[in-house]
Amino acid sequence: MDSGQQGQGAEARWERLAPGVARRRMPVWDATVGVIVGSTGVLLVDTGATVAEGAELGHEVRELFDRSVTHIALTHPHFDHVFGTAAFPGAEVYGAVGAAELMRREREELRLDAERYGLAPGAAAEAAERLVVPRHPVSGELTLDLGGRQALLANLGPAHTAHDLAVFVAGRGGAPEVVFCGDVVEESGEPQAGPDALPRRWPAALDRLLALGGEEAVYVPGHGAAVDARFVRAQRDALAARFGVS
């Protein structure tokens, strides 16, 4: 569903992937935000590109699920995925080990990068000034109990960035497993290997992602429509060929 359409309610902007699991495609950069809802906790996967987007997301989660966000998983430290976190002051924030240090060190570069991609200077400055970094580093795998629903956070190792985190939700009641991939997988364009990417290690990260999710999972890219294991494998092979990795 296109999250950028105006004049629609929250229900129309969120795509239900499984009971208690949904995602929204944000406007402008088509970045994915996910939500996993349990009886005692709500995990938001990424937070949007501005503090205002984060506030909107929090409002919509409460409207749709009658719960407030309690936990946040940041899939990687790029502005369009992390700049909305300040809108959730009470949430516990998780990220791949090293992400917090990088975000503190490169706060100004994040602001400049956001402006280079077209974010209004005022919004970029606010988000950078109020930047929230992960308090809980994930070095391997970590399971969050949200009350009758668990989410597995997995550090994939270097790929799109040096700090890529995936979120796995087990299927139940006939619903499939769901894997939030961050920008390790992209559907709406070719995967972006910027200056902070480690392209020769990217295929191995995708192998780990496929091992985590399996053949029947729904894979949710950082940008674009949900895909299947065959798409992820094809993207893995294309990246391996592109960067000369077996």
Side-chain angles (χ1 to χ4, degrees):
M1 296 182 182
D2 182 358
S3 64
Q5 294 179 16
Q6 301 298 315
Q8 294 184 339
E11 184 70 38
R13 289 190 289 268
W14 287 80
E15 177 185 356
R16 305 280 182 147
L17 302 170
V21 184
R23 69 87 170 255
R24 179 179 166 182
R25 294 170 67 171
M26 302 303 292
V28 186
W29 296 283
D30 192 27
T32 284
V33 171
V35 66
I36 301 108
V37 180
S39 61
T40 60
V42 175
L43 173 65
L44 195 69
V45 183
D46 291 340
T47 59
T50 67
V51 178
E53 281 192 354
E56 180 182 43
L57 289 164
H59 174 78
E60 291 186 347
V61 168
R62 289 190 295 273
E63 178 182 338
L64 291 173
F65 299 104
D66 197 28
R67 300 277 195 282
S68 294
V69 171
T70 57
H71 300 74
I72 290 170
L74 299 177
T75 61
H76 61 289
H78 284 169
F79 82 91
D80 51 330
H81 296 264
V82 307
F83 263 8
T85 310
F88 305 93
E92 298 292 336
V93 184
Y94 297 77
V97 65
E101 291 78 7
L102 181 143
M103 289 168 68
R104 290 191 192 98
R105 185 174 66 248
E106 299 192 1
R107 179 193 305 258
E108 178 64 7
E109 181 58 32
L110 281 170
R111 181 187 69 79
L112 292 172
D113 195 46
E115 290 190 20
R116 281 192 290 266
Y117 277 93
L119 189 63
E126 178 193 20
E129 181 179 348
R130 299 177 61 188
L131 185 68
V132 175
V133 305
R135 291 183 56 240
H136 304 284
V138 181
S139 59
E141 296 181 354
L142 175 68
T143 299
L144 297 179
D145 186 353
L146 303 173
R149 172 63 65 106
Q150 293 183 330
L152 176 70
L153 313 185
N155 186 329
L156 297 176
H160 176 69
T161 72
H163 311 288
D164 290 314
L165 190 74
V167 180
F168 171 83
V169 188
R172 63 181 187 182
E177 287 75 22
V178 178
V179 185
F180 291 96
C181 307
D183 286 6
V184 172
V185 178
E186 296 193 41
E187 185 276 335
S188 55
E190 184 173 302
Q192 296 301 301
D196 57 345
L198 290 94
R200 293 186 62 82
R201 300 179 67 176
W202 200 327
L206 286 170
D207 288 337
R208 287 191 286 274
L209 189 72
L210 286 163
L212 178 69
E215 292 301 310
E216 304 303 321
V218 173
Y219 292 86
V220 185
H223 301 265
V227 298
D228 58 15
R230 182 169 59 179
F231 180 96
V232 175
R233 189 168 292 107
Q235 194 157 95
R236 181 256 181 237
D237 293 344
L239 284 165
R242 176 180 169 188
F243 297 115
V245 182
S246 60

